[in-house]
Amino acid sequence: MPSGEKRAPPALLFAVIAATIALRLVVGALTPLTEDEAYYRLWSMAPAFGYYDHPPMIAWWIWVGRQVAGDTALGVRLLPILASAATSLLVFDAGRLAGATRATASRAGVWFNAMLLVLAGGFLAVPDAPASLFWAATLWCALRAVGGRSLTWWALAGASAGLACLSKYSALFIAPGVLIWLTVSAKGRAQLRTPGPWLAAAIAAALFSANLAWNADHHWLTFAKQFGRVTAHRFAPRYLTDLIAAQALLLNPLIALFAGAAIVVRPRPDRAGADLTAFFALAAPFAAYLILHSLHDRVQAHWPAPLYPLLAVCAAEGAARLADQTVWRRLAMAAPWLGVSLGAVALVVLATPGGVYGRYDAALPVRGWGPFTARLEAMRQGSGAAWVGTASYGLAAQLADQRGLGAPVFQLAERDRWNGLGAAPDLARPGLAVDLTRRLGAASLTGCFAAVTPLGVVTRGDPGEKGKSYAVFLVAGPRRDALARGCW
């Protein structure tokens, strides 16, 4: 570390963290759950070492949050909100451990919270929340281990990496990243001749083995789901442009610019600065995979989220290297305000009543679930249906989270998703089949039920093009075991 500087985070960083925690607590409590969050909430009601889509960490976090704050939106999101604050502090100290000045490290912590994905989405209970925290913790512990040659810190780095793998499989790229980092420096190669890194690898593998055992006992369900995306079936480089554009926006365009500058602008030899080797090495394998994936399929915008803590330090150091130039210095000062402005727009959209933005309403996924459920419940009672079935897992989870529906809900397809989740309906009795009109039609139901009667269309949100239209059918007389095999 640069000598003669205080190690504690400055008051500005604490103020930013306190303000963002308060904002996320309020927004997290008042905003209804997204479909994915509602689905992960169901996971938390049946704790296990694995699930259909992901490893179990987000389910465990939601379980803890629900014990503290109740079975509410805030309870579901409590730990992800607190994790964003912990990640901010890890970003600061990781920058300091890498040699950044206190001001640069503080800027990294502030800029992490000024990234649009973090600022506007940091309250969501999704697997990226624990994954980002444990990626940052792994790097932080490894930096301390290399600096102090401590087996304890290597053990903690391994534990963090293992917990990251239990959060999201993208954390499997941590191991080659750490290996690259240790290989390219003399100090790192010396570490490879000690037990520390190998102890870390053993601890990480031991923790991850819990999910491996679960998958082995469930026909490698999650592995087939996630690693099935790796195979390329076409060459479509247009997705690379989408990836670059989306990340430039979600990182915050100015922060993305400075992160790029850190790659091409060399540090001045007469000035203290961070050694970014560990940050680039740790990010490189996963970033390379995302680029390769984008050459044949779309990369979802949130997938790179675990790299954001690393990129915050790189961007802050890039700004420090350009601080002598007035234009760059002013852009660096504007970066957090740009992030706040973009985040404010997102929150205004979320808080604005439905109908203002028409079909382009980005907040429509969380709007109108109460009235929609009430209309659906009235149709269920009027038709004598004993259960509700959907074509999509998200709608099934969202309806299961609504308190106004008085019947069990299940998904008509993808039955492997629901192993041990939810109450089993009595399909010998009539039920309602409901989903978006583009996803569900009478023809798709006749192969599963002998009687299919259209009951009409229910709109969630404003009528017409400003909402989402759901087709509703009364079905009876199952032709197959839909609970075990699904309708499709």
Side-chain angles (χ1 to χ4, degrees):
M1 294 183 185
S3 60
E5 289 196 0
K6 297 179 181 179
R7 296 191 179 189
L12 173 62
L13 179 56
F14 279 121
V16 168
I17 292 174
T20 54
I21 284 181
L23 177 65
R24 288 169 184 145
L25 287 172
V26 172
V27 174
L30 298 180
T31 305
L33 299 181
T34 65
E35 290 187 350
D36 279 349
E37 289 180 297
Y39 181 49
Y40 302 144
R41 169 185 166 271
L42 293 178
W43 287 4
S44 74
M45 296 180 175
F49 284 106
Y51 300 92
Y52 179 83
D53 299 83
H54 293 292
M57 187 60 67
I58 189 60
W60 298 350
W61 277 28
I62 293 174
W63 183 90
V64 173
R66 289 173 53 240
Q67 309 313 303
V68 175
D71 191 14
T72 62
L74 181 59
V76 169
R77 293 165 171 157
L78 181 61
L79 261 64
I81 291 172
L82 299 179
S84 65
T87 305
S88 302
L89 294 175
L90 290 174
V91 166
F92 167 82
D93 207 43
R96 296 282 292 120
L97 292 167
T101 64
R102 185 167 176 257
T104 298
S106 176
R107 171 176 279 168
V110 172
W111 280 14
F112 174 70
N113 288 280
M115 293 174 169
L116 180 59
L117 184 65
V118 178
L119 181 61
F123 67 94
L124 297 176
V126 292
D128 300 294
S132 297
L133 172 65
F134 292 127
W135 270 73
T138 301
L139 176 60
W140 179 68
C141 292
L143 285 168
R144 288 190 169 274
V146 171
R149 297 176 177 268
S150 169
L151 278 180
T152 301
W153 284 111
W154 275 121
L156 291 172
S160 298
L163 295 174
C165 292
L166 289 176
S167 303
K168 211 169 182 183
Y169 289 148
S170 57
L172 293 171
F173 288 103
I174 290 177
V178 172
L179 183 60
I180 292 171
W181 167 39
L182 296 180
T183 302
V184 298
S185 69
K187 185 182 290 188
R189 289 191 293 273
Q191 285 287 318
L192 289 173
R193 294 190 290 271
T194 69
W198 312 109
L199 173 65
I203 292 174
L207 288 172
F208 185 54
S209 66
N211 182 251
L212 285 175
W214 183 91
N215 268 280
D217 195 41
H218 290 80
H219 311 289
W220 302 101
L221 196 62
T222 323
F223 280 29
K225 163 72 174 177
Q226 295 295 346
F227 297 132
R229 296 170 169 173
V230 174
T231 305
H233 301 288
R234 56 181 173 174
F235 180 64
R238 68 181 183 276
Y239 293 121
L240 177 58
T241 304
D242 294 345
L243 171 64
I244 295 171
Q247 294 313 304
L249 175 62
L250 293 176
L251 273 169
N252 176 325
L254 291 179
I255 294 177
L257 181 64
F258 283 110
I263 300 175
V264 299
V265 178
R266 298 294 91 195
R268 286 175 48 175
D270 60 338
R271 178 176 298 176
D275 179 0
L276 299 179
T277 304
F279 299 85
F280 287 137
L282 197 62
F286 185 34
Y289 165 73
L290 293 174
I291 292 172
L292 289 174
H293 188 94
S294 71
L295 296 178
H296 70 87
D297 204 353
R298 187 179 304 280
V299 173
Q300 298 300 317
H302 60 88
W303 287 3
L307 301 182
Y308 279 33
L310 285 64
L311 293 175
V313 176
C314 296
E317 176 61 22
R321 293 176 184 178
L322 294 168
D324 290 338
Q325 303 178 40
T326 302
V327 172
W328 291 104
R329 188 167 60 251
R330 289 176 177 174
L331 288 175
M333 294 174 63
W337 297 108
L338 176 61
V340 168
S341 300
L342 293 173
V345 170
L347 294 177
V348 167
V349 170
L350 192 63
T352 304
V356 174
Y357 305 102
R359 69 175 66 187
Y360 303 106
D361 186 0
L364 185 58
V366 299
R367 296 197 199 278
W369 285 107
F372 172 77
T373 304
R375 290 193 292 271
L376 198 62
E377 174 65 6
M379 296 178 72
R380 185 192 70 81
Q381 293 184 11
S383 62
W387 50 268
V388 176
T390 72
S392 68
Y393 78 90
L395 180 57
Q398 192 65 270
L399 291 176
D401 183 52
Q402 302 302 313
R403 306 301 190 265
L405 198 61
V409 182
F410 85 109
Q411 188 185 359
L412 295 165
E414 295 185 304
R415 295 305 304 155
D416 285 340
R417 283 185 180 275
W418 301 94
N419 184 24
L421 301 180
D426 181 7
L427 297 188
R429 301 176 63 187
L432 289 187
V434 56
D435 217 302
L436 292 171
T437 52
R438 62 179 172 83
R439 282 201 297 239
L440 189 67
S444 61
L445 293 169
T446 53
C448 194
F449 297 97
V452 179
T453 306
L455 296 183
V457 174
V458 178
T459 300
R460 179 174 59 83
D462 288 344
E465 295 179 345
K466 296 181 180 179
K468 289 195 173 184
S469 298
Y470 295 78
V472 184
F473 300 88
L474 180 66
V475 296
R479 299 181 185 272
R480 58 190 297 171
D481 187 353
L483 278 178
R485 298 171 55 199
C487 286
W488 308 287

